[in-house]
Amino acid sequence: MSGIGLGLTLSQIVAPLRNVKLIVLAVIMNFVIVPLLAVVTARLLRLDEPFALGLLLLGLAAGAPFLPKVAGIAHGDVASA
């Protein structure tokens, strides 16, 4: 992650932050939709409390750490990922 981040210029990092719609959607998905999906999944599967809490913790972790690498391999926009 640090290698990918250090390979970007400041303008490449700031450019996606100017897209307000992208930022709002990312925040809503990472901090509202995915945690709710984790809670619903835990309840549907009737998981024991430790497993449900683990799933909720994973759901609360914003973004996946491997996505920038996948975006780089696919020649996509790494800064947005």
Side-chain angles (χ1 to χ4, degrees):
M1 290 298 294
S2 61
I4 292 171
L6 291 173
L8 297 173
T9 64
L10 185 59
S11 62
Q12 288 175 316
I13 294 169
V14 173
L17 298 176
R18 292 188 180 131
N19 186 348
V20 176
K21 184 179 177 182
L22 174 70
I23 299 301
V24 170
L25 285 174
V27 168
I28 289 171
M29 288 298 293
N30 283 317
F31 294 109
V32 178
I33 304 296
V34 174
L36 283 175
L37 186 62
V39 170
V40 169
T41 302
R43 289 185 186 226
L44 284 175
L45 296 176
R46 297 181 183 170
L47 295 176
D48 291 332
E49 186 176 346
F51 298 114
L53 287 174
L55 183 61
L56 182 60
L57 286 173
L58 286 174
L60 289 170
F66 60 86
L67 286 180
K69 184 64 177 172
V70 172
I73 291 171
H75 304 293
D77 188 6
V78 176
S80 292

